[in-house]
Amino acid sequence: QVQLVESGGGLVQPGGSLRLSCVATGDNLGYYTVGWFHQAPGKEREGVSCISKNSDSWHYAESVKGRFTISRDYAKNAVYLEMNNLEPEDTAVYSCAASAYVSDVRHVCVHTGVIDVWGQGTQVTVSS
């Protein structure tokens, strides 16, 4: 079973940037559709961005389109989320997650019931 470890969160001012990393151990992350999800205090967890197994399709939440970019590094067995022009509304715990059997990136981002494994999460705080 794959295990996921996130890093890269922190405190950043509005308009700033962060790069989140999700490194996998125990299995080849290329066998999974992978997504980033966030959960703000008092709100439900929601999909931010998801990437297909061979990196040929992506899904982004409307709120992050044009600001966030998801990518993979197969050699490092990792998935990244580049976050630019951050807004206070982006403040949340960001978690990496993987689905072994669902290939549709939008489906994985919208229906968390198909997720097979979750990382522990990393806090992102956008504040001046």
Side-chain angles (χ1 to χ4, degrees), residues 92-111:
V93 175
Y94 284 72
S95 299
C96 174
S99 175
Y101 301 107
V102 179
S103 297
D104 184 273
V105 287
R106 183 183 181 281
H107 191 90
V108 171
C109 261
V110 173
H111 302 287

Side-chain angles (χ1 to χ4, degrees), residues 35-38 45-48 93-95 97 108-109 112 115 118:
W36 285 96
F37 299 77
H38 69 192
R45 179 185 284 166
E46 60 179 2
V48 176
V93 175
Y94 284 72
S95 299
V108 171
C109 261
T112 57
I115 296 296
W118 291 91

Side-chain angles (χ1 to χ4, degrees), residues 39-76:
Q39 186 167 22
K43 295 186 177 181
E44 292 188 357
R45 179 185 284 166
E46 60 179 2
V48 176
S49 181
C50 292
I51 188 168
S52 63
K53 296 176 184 180
N54 58 3
S55 301
D56 64 349
S57 61
W58 310 264
H59 173 81
Y60 292 94
E62 286 296 324
S63 61
V64 306
K65 280 184 179 178
R67 301 188 297 123
F68 291 10
T69 303
I70 192 170
S71 62
R72 285 184 183 263
D73 186 328
Y74 294 94
K76 295 183 178 179

